[in-house]
Amino acid sequence: MPVPFTNSIETFAVEFSHNIDHRMPGSMKAVDGISVSIAKGEFVAILGRNGSGKTTLARMLNALLLPTGGSVCIHGIDTLDESLIWKVRGLVGMIFQDPDSQIVGTTVEEDVAFGPENLGLEPGEIRRRVQEALHSVAMSQHAHTTPHLLSGGEKQKVSLAGILAMQPDCIILDEATALLDPAGRKEVIGLVRTLNRDKRITVLHITHDMEEARLADRVILLDAGKVVLDGRPSEVFSNSPAIKMAGLELPQIAELFDLLNQEGFDLPDCAMNMDEALAALIKVMNRCREQHVHLH
Ligand SMILES: Nc1ncnc2c1ncn2[C@@H]1O[C@H](COP(=O)(O)OP(=O)(O)OP(=O)(O)O)[C@@H](O)[C@H]1O
Ligand SMILES: [Mg+2]
């Protein structure tokens, strides 16, 4: 019996140099010795300043780029195995920042069918998958619309449907929400979160938005092609010196608590949502009130 893979993604000291001539000792590697295991069903935010290697790493995870050192395994498949490259691309779907660059069909339905058609599936199965995928992203009513007439958020949902129709193991969003307004961002992230929970699709969300990162199960912070921090959001965001050293800012709640603690308050290192923050602040205020009463 085949052994079930519990890890969607594993990288072993993976490296990538964009310019092969620069593969000499001391040259800059865009990705420089990253080893991570990402379990099936995890929702991971990838953070890092511009040029820290996030996109290069993501492109290696769906075999758009092949490592120049180390290796990448997707669901147990080494991406260097050329015979299985299309299998890897079907398992790991990517959505980029610019929705227009991803549109290939003249109608929404055609666009979503593109992936399953490339898998060589029967027309009936393709139709079934397209309908299901459009339903999952609440875009069924736009099936016959020209994609170019849609809003940015709607186009990202169509891209998401195109990936879902491939029945992926993992979805990578490479700043896919960056060009959307707050409502559009919330909708796309909410949809991806639902797919992650209901279908156990692993999600890697590359973002510069700390508030979005705060909501992930795990945060991986990159700098100069290396992993600087890797842990639960509460752990990662409690390390404000490392976050700042990597050129990023803390989420607003974490920044506020950090400043209050510097003023001598005893707040938890990092509250991850408004309810936790409110509960912690009320506790501190009550303590102050009690001390005040006691003094008089
Ligand atoms: N096609 C390319 N050719 C040469 N160098 C590249 C290429 N793409 C990226 N690089 C370099 O590789 C490094 C990492 O780039 P990458 O795009 O992976 O960073 P990133 O973390 O995604 O940045 P951003 O937040 O700006 O998207 C940078 O130094 C960049 O200049
Ligand atoms: Mg990038």
Side-chain angles (χ1 to χ4, degrees), residues 49-56 174-175 206 208:
R49 69 174 109 208
N50 292 138
S52 56
K54 305 177 299 294
T55 297
T56 305
D174 190 354
E175 298 190 44
I206 299 174
H208 287 284

Side-chain angles (χ1 to χ4, degrees), residues 16 25 33 172 231 259 261:
F16 191 86
I172 303 179
L259 291 172
N261 282 339

Side-chain angles (χ1 to χ4, degrees), residues 16-19 28-31 47-59 65 97 174-175 206 208 222 225:
F16 191 86
S17 304
H18 283 281
N19 187 340
M28 274 293 286
K29 291 171 185 148
V31 168
L47 302 178
R49 69 174 109 208
N50 292 138
S52 56
K54 305 177 299 294
T55 297
T56 305
L57 176 65
R59 286 176 168 270
L65 294 175
Q97 191 179 73
D174 190 354
E175 298 190 44
I206 299 174
H208 287 284
L222 303 186

Side-chain angles (χ1 to χ4, degrees), residues 95-103 137 139 150-163 173-180 184 188 191-192:
I95 305 186
F96 301 96
Q97 191 179 73
D98 176 15
D100 289 316
S101 65
Q102 298 163 79
I103 289 170
V137 301
M139 286 293 285
L150 300 174
S151 73
E154 288 167 340
K155 283 177 193 162
Q156 288 303 55
K157 290 202 282 180
V158 172
S159 300
L160 192 55
I163 288 174
L173 307 169
D174 190 354
E175 298 190 44
T177 54
L179 297 177
L180 307 183
V188 170
L191 253 172
V192 172

Side-chain angles (χ1 to χ4, degrees), residues 120-152:
L121 301 171
E122 297 176 0
E125 172 66 6
I126 295 174
R127 245 191 328 272
R128 196 189 61 74
R129 287 198 188 192
V130 169
Q131 279 171 5
E132 196 186 313
L134 284 174
H135 178 73
S136 299
V137 301
M139 286 293 285
S140 304
Q141 75 279 23
H142 290 292
H144 304 293
T145 309
T146 305
H148 291 286
L149 297 179
L150 300 174
S151 73

Side-chain angles (χ1 to χ4, degrees), residues 226-237:
K226 292 181 164 55
V227 174
V228 181
L229 293 173
D230 180 353
R232 288 197 304 276
S234 56
E235 290 165 348
V236 167
F237 291 126

